[in-house]
Amino acid sequence: DGRAEKASACPDDPPMSAEPDAAAAAKAAGTAAFKAEDFEEAVRHFTLAIEADSTNHVLYSNRSAAYAKQQLYKQSLLDANKCIDLAPTWAKGHSRRGAAYVGLRNWRQAIVAYEEGLRLEPENAVMKEALASIQRKLAGGGSSTVVGGGPPSGMPVVPGADGTAALAVLTLLFTLVFFLPFLSVPLRDRCYQLALGTGLAGYAISLWRGWPKTMATLKDPRFLQSHEVQRAPLTLILLFSPPLPFALAPPATYALHRAVRLLASKAVSKLPGALRDRALWLLTEEGTHTTLAFAATSDLMTAISAPLTMLTHGFRAALISVVYAQHVAKSYHTSWYHRTAVEAVTQKLDGLMHHRRCPAILSSLYARVKGLVSSYPRRAAS
């Protein structure tokens, strides 16, 4: 895995004399499987070793590395955390945690992990290079194996930020009602249209309040590339197309953020403690980045699922499938969040389709489709 640092290239192999025999045998088998690049088998053996000796921090480190090789970064992070719990002063555990966070694209937490590891082992060249690689990316320069870079610096702007709280609440309400399982189809369709309509009105108000009312504004590249201008035509087409459930997620996400911001001093402050804290967290820089990342991922899921609606709605759904694909393709070039979402899904599919148990014909078909899809953003942006 190019994005997980080199420390995960080989499991740790301290003297086995202190280990129970069963754990030592399982760890040896796991190490052999790891070196043979059979990472599923390595995980199995390391799991057996952990069952025999659950206090050995090295075993969790080894399994963390095997998980990372399979791009199972959440499991890798859990094992790295357990390793650190058992041996907080062992630098390798923090290195494993950093590698897992890199895989999860949580660059800031990866930096924290590597810095802690280097505090314990200042001359570790692998952690030094991994940390420098992330820092170069976050600074926007240099070549690196870290894919996708970091999010834009400073507080990002959520689309429709200047809209009204009433429209934001209505967008959320109609979206929630749309997903109620007992609604009739006509009522669900009406809620879908109302959710999109209130979202569209929010974009319109935001543009009206946020830009000069002059002809020059219509020619301003910043205006033309704004989130609201990009989403407004798409939302209009969605209003007159068969429902795409994922399509409500981005406007609802933006509406949630807008509602919390506009009502923070009134309704939000009166919420119960935990709920209030979670709502106000959305207004922090981290919460705002998370909002935009979730919306971008929902955009990608909508584009992927849109062609499937042609199975039930025929070619009535073809137009929105093409339009949404163009929207995501253009956003790929203008939005770090969309670019990161596309790269994350691509890397996950790469791992699945290049797995040794994946049929060759499926891998070949995937490579062809990937080539066609990869060229589409360049054509759409030109």
Side-chain angles (χ1 to χ4, degrees), residues 15-305:
M16 299 189 335
S17 58
E19 302 176 69
D21 291 343
K27 184 169 80 66
T31 301
F34 191 101
K35 292 179 178 178
E37 299 187 355
D38 189 347
F39 302 117
E40 288 185 8
E41 190 70 5
V43 166
R44 189 177 73 83
H45 286 298
F46 289 139
T47 300
L48 292 174
I50 289 171
E51 291 173 354
D53 184 9
S54 61
T55 63
N56 190 330
H57 62 280
V58 173
L59 299 177
Y60 290 98
S61 172
N62 289 355
R63 192 170 68 175
S64 176
Y67 276 133
K69 285 292 187 178
Q70 298 176 78
Q71 299 184 12
L72 300 174
Y73 298 113
K74 290 183 180 179
Q75 294 93 319
S76 178
L77 178 61
L78 291 174
D79 275 354
N81 290 342
K82 181 63 175 179
C83 174
I84 293 170
D85 288 342
L86 293 171
T89 60
W90 192 52
K92 180 59 71 66
H94 298 278
S95 178
R96 298 292 192 213
R97 177 185 276 175
Y101 273 130
V102 168
L104 292 169
R105 284 184 164 74
N106 192 332
W107 313 122
R108 288 175 173 79
Q109 289 301 319
I111 288 174
V112 171
Y114 284 130
E115 287 179 341
E116 179 61 19
L118 287 169
R119 186 185 67 81
L120 297 167
E121 193 177 320
E123 301 305 317
N124 187 296
V126 172
M127 284 192 284
K128 281 184 176 180
E129 173 54 31
L131 179 59
S133 174
I134 299 171
Q135 290 172 334
R136 286 195 299 270
K137 270 299 184 181
L138 291 179
S143 60
S144 171
T145 58
V146 178
V147 179
S153 59
M155 180 66 76
V157 177
V158 174
D162 292 323
T164 68
L167 285 173
V169 171
L170 286 173
T171 301
L172 285 171
L173 178 62
F174 290 131
T175 300
L176 291 174
V177 173
F178 170 81
F179 285 104
L180 293 177
F182 52 80
L183 288 186
S184 64
V185 173
L187 185 55
R188 289 179 73 251
D189 289 349
R190 179 57 57 88
C191 288
Y192 178 83
Q193 293 172 340
L194 289 171
L196 291 172
T198 52
L200 182 61
Y203 299 149
I205 291 174
S206 181
L207 291 171
W208 180 260
R209 291 177 174 178
W211 291 89
K213 287 75 173 176
T214 64
M215 293 301 296
T217 297
L218 300 177
K219 300 178 182 179
D220 190 330
R222 294 173 302 167
F223 174 81
L224 297 174
Q225 294 175 8
S226 66
H227 287 286
E228 293 87 349
V229 171
Q230 294 294 319
R231 295 205 68 88
L234 175 67
T235 305
L236 275 173
I237 296 175
L238 285 168
L239 275 169
F240 299 100
S241 302
L244 299 176
F246 279 117
L248 292 183
T253 302
Y254 302 142
L256 174 61
H257 189 280
R258 185 165 67 252
V260 171
R261 182 176 61 82
L262 296 175
L263 299 174
S265 62
K266 298 178 182 178
V268 175
S269 62
K270 298 178 182 178
L271 293 173
L275 186 58
R276 181 187 65 246
D277 293 343
R278 177 55 63 180
L280 293 177
W281 172 82
L282 286 174
L283 303 183
T284 66
E285 182 176 340
E286 181 183 4
T288 303
H289 283 307
T290 302
T291 297
L292 293 171
F294 180 81
T297 302
S298 300
D299 261 343
L300 179 59
M301 296 305 299
T302 303
I304 292 173
S305 63

